[in-house]
Amino acid sequence: YADGLKSFCTGFVELKKMMVSPLWRAAPADYKNPNLITVIPPLEYHARRVATYISQLKAKKVFVLRSGFSEETKYIVPFKKAINNISKNQIDVITTTILHGNLTSLLPRLSKTEPNVFVIPATDQQFLQVTLKSLEDLAKQYPVILFGHPNWEKMTFLRAEQLQKLNTYITSTDHINYHSPRVIRFVKDYRQTYHAEPGEFAFKGYDEGMYFGAMSVADEANFRLADFSGLHNDFHFVYVKDTGWINSHVNLLKYVNFDLKPVE
């Protein structure tokens, strides 16, 4: 986790030994260790994934709805940077702080014929419940496409029915297909061995153990962080100077039939 990782990163920089950050989604730039391997994609890679998909929709404008909490800038800044780079500044990003779910100020800029793209980087329960209800009312007259924060997947107060009406997409690095033969086999073996259901860390631990275990016995002369298809997420590492290797693979999911389905 964050504090423990910082202690190790600081002490091991000069040893030039590779170090794995297995569970934390914190920005690796905070640790300043060029030998760090970050397995869980940081938030900025979620924002980039959304920006890439929105650019494919050929949207002319995007409305970013803020609650006002400073934490949201960790998503908004890389999102705006990515979408400006990808679209060459051809997509207008309109960032607005929404109070009490009031969307009236946006109405003159909305289209009744083209999809209106909204991004909500907020995680505050009260803000989301009020704002999503306002968006649901808005969607009765205006076509809406919504992109939410990756933490939404674990928020039990959000309603799949409502999110489906809003054509909602979210990003995820922990999406597990329980119908996959590989997953079915893993769950069966886990139950037999531990007499319990595998949780999030069990899937991550298995994937990372298999991946780095194989890497540890590989020929050092031909060492590389190859792509890998895991049970909970895929690995595609990119190297960032002074920061280390970062897994950049992020899934995009959409609410379909009251469930989250991967978007190709």
Side-chain angles (χ1 to χ4, degrees):
Y1 290 94
D3 292 339
L5 191 61
K6 281 186 178 180
S7 300
F8 280 99
C9 281
T10 303
F12 281 79
V13 172
E14 295 183 3
L15 293 180
K16 298 182 179 179
K17 296 291 185 180
M18 298 180 73
M19 180 182 305
V20 178
S21 172
L23 303 173
W24 196 245
R25 196 172 66 189
D30 295 344
Y31 301 101
K32 299 179 176 58
N33 189 324
N35 304 306
L36 183 66
I37 302 173
T38 302
V39 180
I40 308 302
L43 188 60
E44 66 178 279
Y45 287 85
H46 290 260
R48 292 182 189 181
R49 180 72 176 91
V50 169
T52 300
Y53 190 76
I54 289 176
S55 67
Q56 294 170 356
L57 296 177
K58 298 185 175 10
K60 296 178 182 177
K61 63 183 73 168
V62 179
F63 300 92
V64 179
L65 308 185
R66 296 194 55 170
S67 70
F69 286 103
S70 59
E71 278 290 304
E72 295 165 16
T73 60
K74 294 179 180 179
Y75 187 104
I76 295 172
V77 170
F79 170 77
K80 293 178 71 173
K81 181 179 179 180
I83 206 164
N84 287 338
N85 288 339
I86 294 168
S87 72
K88 296 180 171 53
N89 296 310
Q90 294 302 304
I91 298 177
D92 188 14
V93 180
I94 303 155
T95 304
T96 308
T97 300
I98 302 300
L99 299 176
H100 310 298
N102 189 346
L103 305 176
T104 305
S105 63
L106 303 179
L107 295 182
R109 309 190 72 167
L110 298 180
S111 171
K112 288 195 174 183
T113 56
E114 299 290 331
N116 298 284
V117 180
F118 295 88
V119 174
I120 301 182
T123 57
D124 178 73
Q125 179 173 348
Q126 183 177 4
F127 172 82
L128 288 176
Q129 289 177 324
V130 174
T131 304
L132 291 176
K133 178 61 173 67
S134 296
L135 267 181
E136 188 177 8
D137 294 338
L138 187 77
K140 295 175 183 176
Q141 299 183 55
Y142 299 88
V144 168
I145 295 178
L146 174 62
F147 293 86
H149 192 282
N151 285 358
W152 287 16
E153 187 175 6
K154 299 178 180 179
M155 293 181 176
T156 56
F157 64 85
L158 295 176
R159 296 186 293 112
E161 179 183 3
Q162 182 183 57
L163 295 174
Q164 186 166 309
K165 286 181 181 178
L166 295 173
N167 293 306
T168 304
Y169 297 78
I170 62 171
T171 49
S172 174
T173 57
D174 299 328
H175 189 67
I176 300 168
N177 178 9
Y178 284 94
H179 300 293
S180 162
R182 293 171 62 209
V183 172
I184 292 172
R185 185 169 61 251
F186 171 76
V187 171
K188 181 180 178 181
D189 291 344
Y190 191 93
R191 286 171 178 165
Q192 289 180 344
T193 303
Y194 301 105
H195 307 290
E197 293 297 315
E200 174 187 341
F201 290 165
F203 284 101
K204 289 180 179 178
Y206 177 81
D207 283 346
E208 294 173 23
M210 293 294 291
Y211 183 76
F212 291 106
M215 191 179 74
S216 67
V217 297
D219 180 3
E220 189 172 341
N222 298 315
F223 167 79
R224 67 187 182 94
L225 290 175
D227 288 353
F228 173 80
S229 180
L231 299 181
H232 83 288
N233 191 29
D234 292 349
F235 299 167
H236 177 73
F237 289 97
V238 294
Y239 187 76
V240 180
K241 184 180 179 182
D242 299 326
T243 302
W245 289 267
I246 303 170
N247 180 21
S248 63
H249 186 271
V250 174
N251 299 299
L252 185 65
L253 311 175
K254 184 180 182 182
Y255 282 90
V256 179
N257 295 328
F258 310 106
D259 195 8
L260 283 165
K261 303 292 185 183
V263 176
E264 296 297 332

